[in-house]
Amino acid sequence: MNRSEFNQGLKGGLIIALSSAPFAVLFGAVASDNGLSVMEAGLMSATVYAGASQLVGIELFGHHVAPWLIVLSVFAVNFRHILYSAALTRYIAHFTPVQKFLTFFLLTDPQFAEAVQRGESGRGVSFPWYIGFGAAIYFPWLFFSVVGAFFGRMMGDPRALAIDVLLPVYFLGLVIGFRRKPGFYPVVVGSALGSVLGYHFVGSPWHVSIGAAVGVAVAAFLPLPTESVPANAVTEMES
Amino acid sequence: MTDLISVDMALLILAAAVATFLTRIGGYVLITRMTTIPPRMEQALNAVPAAVLTTLVAPAFFNGGWDVKIAMLAALVVGIRYPGLLPLGAGWAAAMLCRHLLGF
């Protein structure tokens, strides 16, 4: 293991862990509010490990929705990960099968954003960095979920503490970080329109997949760079 | 609320976990079966992060009240100049200001 890469990953991951701790506590609190035990909330954070979809699942548990529909909704909210793993593949071709398994298990929004940023900047995605970054998010996520489930009923109103704005604001910051990529503005406009219209006419959680599909389709139909360069060179030129 | 695990709930959670893992490895399985990546697909894949993250942002902005809109605009203004946690802090502070001092 490369120590400095691992430590660098840990450090980066801890920042994410801190900013996602309120959501883990929120998830635990909502879970116990919807009838899950502390162990069940912990099991969900340990095995599903995907914040937004865990909250969607919990919401549906509370409404006694059919189990297959809950699983389908979790799949829909997480559908974006198919696109993530496709885009990440080129940077982790050198990983062993076990390393790949762990890599995909730990693949979250911030993990993907950071890994792709490293890959595109030419620093490369090493397994020690990736696992350090992932572990620094995974274990606090599990810990704070359990804490939230224990103390769920004691926590104040999440609105009064403005906990509810943290998630969209955090994702907004990530979007801003991509603004220098080619085609950024048409993609964002397409994706925003698709998700807002999808939200109104189809409903949550489908707006995530619909909006993403529109944004990706816009990118696919944008004119290609005029010179015919190999696909990999295009990626390197962007950063 | 008990501190035990019910079998039904555990099975449901594990099914959700398997569904989630399938999405996480699905793109890898699809892409490694293709020998070359066409340039348009390459361009589409490059747009994935911004496209997906936008869908978590835009509906929150349009469906949110003035407090949420102001918080997100504050984060946008700060985020254009400073990356990292500063836009998060700016958005949170703006929301607290709206809710506790301005009464939105």
Side-chain angles (χ1 to χ4, degrees):
Chain A
M1 275 256 200
N2 182 329
R3 266 293 162 86
S4 84
E5 286 270 303
F6 181 74
N7 289 338
Q8 214 179 331
L10 274 186
K11 217 173 100 188
L14 277 177
I15 297 169
I16 306 295
L18 275 180
S19 53
S20 62
F23 306 110
V25 173
L26 179 72
F27 162 75
V30 176
S32 70
D33 221 36
N34 280 275
L36 263 74
S37 71
V38 172
M39 278 180 77
E40 284 162 350
L43 178 72
M44 195 174 192
S45 278
T47 60
V48 178
Y49 183 52
S53 73
Q54 285 179 229
L55 279 161
V56 168
I58 287 298
E59 168 78 7
L60 297 177
F61 290 149
H63 286 90
H64 305 287
V65 172
W68 69 268
L69 203 56
I70 295 176
V71 175
L72 186 67
S73 299
V74 168
F75 185 83
V77 175
N78 288 324
F79 187 78
R80 65 188 186 279
H81 293 120
I82 292 183
L83 306 169
Y84 289 0
S85 51
L88 189 65
T89 294
R90 66 170 90 116
Y91 301 118
I92 61 150
H94 57 290
F95 286 13
T96 67
V98 174
Q99 288 175 341
K100 280 179 184 158
F101 181 89
L102 287 170
T103 294
F104 291 122
F105 178 75
L106 292 173
L107 188 56
T108 54
D109 297 302
Q111 183 96 33
F112 172 71
E114 290 286 337
V116 163
Q117 228 161 39
R118 280 180 83 85
E120 285 185 356
S121 71
R123 279 177 294 173
V125 181
S126 73
F127 184 71
W129 173 82
Y130 192 99
I131 201 76
F133 195 87
I137 303 172
Y138 181 84
F139 292 106
W141 176 259
L142 181 53
F143 174 75
F144 286 111
S145 303
V146 171
V147 168
F150 264 118
F151 297 104
R153 284 148 206 246
M154 288 184 221
M155 199 175 72
D157 176 14
R159 222 190 100 82
L161 297 171
I163 301 288
D164 55 315
V165 300
L166 290 176
L167 200 56
V169 165
Y170 170 69
F171 289 129
L172 173 64
L174 292 182
V175 171
I176 295 169
F178 289 114
R179 69 187 180 282
R180 296 210 171 84
K181 289 185 75 129
F184 172 82
Y185 293 99
V187 166
V188 163
V189 168
S191 181
L193 279 175
S195 61
V196 169
L197 294 177
Y199 192 94
H200 282 286
F201 292 109
V202 185
S204 183
W206 293 104
H207 67 285
V208 175
S209 296
I210 294 169
V214 173
V216 170
V218 167
F221 286 108
L222 282 176
L224 290 167
T226 41
E227 280 178 66
S228 63
V229 274
N232 286 337
V234 174
T235 319
E236 281 158 21
M237 278 164 62
E238 281 168 7
S239 44
Chain B
M1 191 183 93
T2 75
D3 280 350
L4 298 171
I5 294 185
S6 83
V7 175
D8 284 357
M9 186 59 86
L11 286 176
L12 183 51
I13 289 170
L14 291 179
V18 169
T20 303
F21 186 73
L22 287 179
T23 66
R24 283 179 168 148
I25 201 158
Y28 168 78
V29 173
L30 290 177
I31 210 107
T32 47
R33 300 215 164 162
M34 311 172 89
T35 43
T36 54
I37 304 173
R40 285 204 179 271
M41 178 175 270
E42 176 91 11
Q43 189 162 290
L45 284 179
N46 282 331
V48 167
V52 174
L53 291 168
T54 300
T55 70
L56 305 175
V57 173
F61 181 83
F62 285 103
N63 299 328
W66 280 106
D67 51 349
V68 175
K69 287 185 173 66
I70 290 169
M72 293 179 80
L73 286 173
L76 178 67
V77 170
V78 173
I80 286 171
R81 300 209 49 175
Y82 308 97
L85 281 180
L86 270 176
L88 195 68
W92 178 81
M96 289 297 276
L97 196 73
C98 284
R99 285 174 188 177
H100 295 284
L101 292 177
L102 304 176
F104 284 160

Short mmCIF file of all heavy atoms in Angstrom, two decimals, chain A residues 21 45 104 199:
data_model
loop_
_atom_site.label_atom_id
_atom_site.label_comp_id
_atom_site.label_asym_id
_atom_site.label_seq_id
_atom_site.Cartn_x
_atom_site.Cartn_y
_atom_site.Cartn_z
N ALA A 21 -22.29 13.84 7.55
CA ALA A 21 -22.71 13.38 8.87
C ALA A 21 -24.14 13.82 9.22
O ALA A 21 -24.93 13.00 9.73
CB ALA A 21 -21.73 13.85 9.94
N SER A 45 -27.46 1.19 6.22
CA SER A 45 -26.33 2.06 5.91
C SER A 45 -25.10 1.25 5.51
O SER A 45 -24.32 1.67 4.66
CB SER A 45 -25.99 2.96 7.10
OG SER A 45 -26.84 4.07 7.12
N PHE A 104 -16.50 -0.61 -6.67
CA PHE A 104 -17.88 -0.37 -7.08
C PHE A 104 -18.82 -0.37 -5.88
O PHE A 104 -19.81 0.36 -5.87
CB PHE A 104 -18.30 -1.38 -8.15
CG PHE A 104 -17.58 -1.16 -9.45
CD1 PHE A 104 -16.80 -2.15 -10.03
CD2 PHE A 104 -17.65 0.08 -10.07
CE1 PHE A 104 -16.12 -1.92 -11.21
CE2 PHE A 104 -16.97 0.32 -11.25
CZ PHE A 104 -16.20 -0.69 -11.82
N TYR A 199 -40.15 15.76 -12.72
CA TYR A 199 -40.65 15.83 -11.35
C TYR A 199 -42.14 16.15 -11.35
O TYR A 199 -42.91 15.56 -10.60
CB TYR A 199 -39.88 16.91 -10.58
CG TYR A 199 -40.10 16.88 -9.10
CD1 TYR A 199 -39.23 16.17 -8.26
CD2 TYR A 199 -41.17 17.55 -8.52
CE1 TYR A 199 -39.43 16.13 -6.90
CE2 TYR A 199 -41.38 17.51 -7.15
CZ TYR A 199 -40.51 16.81 -6.34
OH TYR A 199 -40.71 16.76 -4.99
#
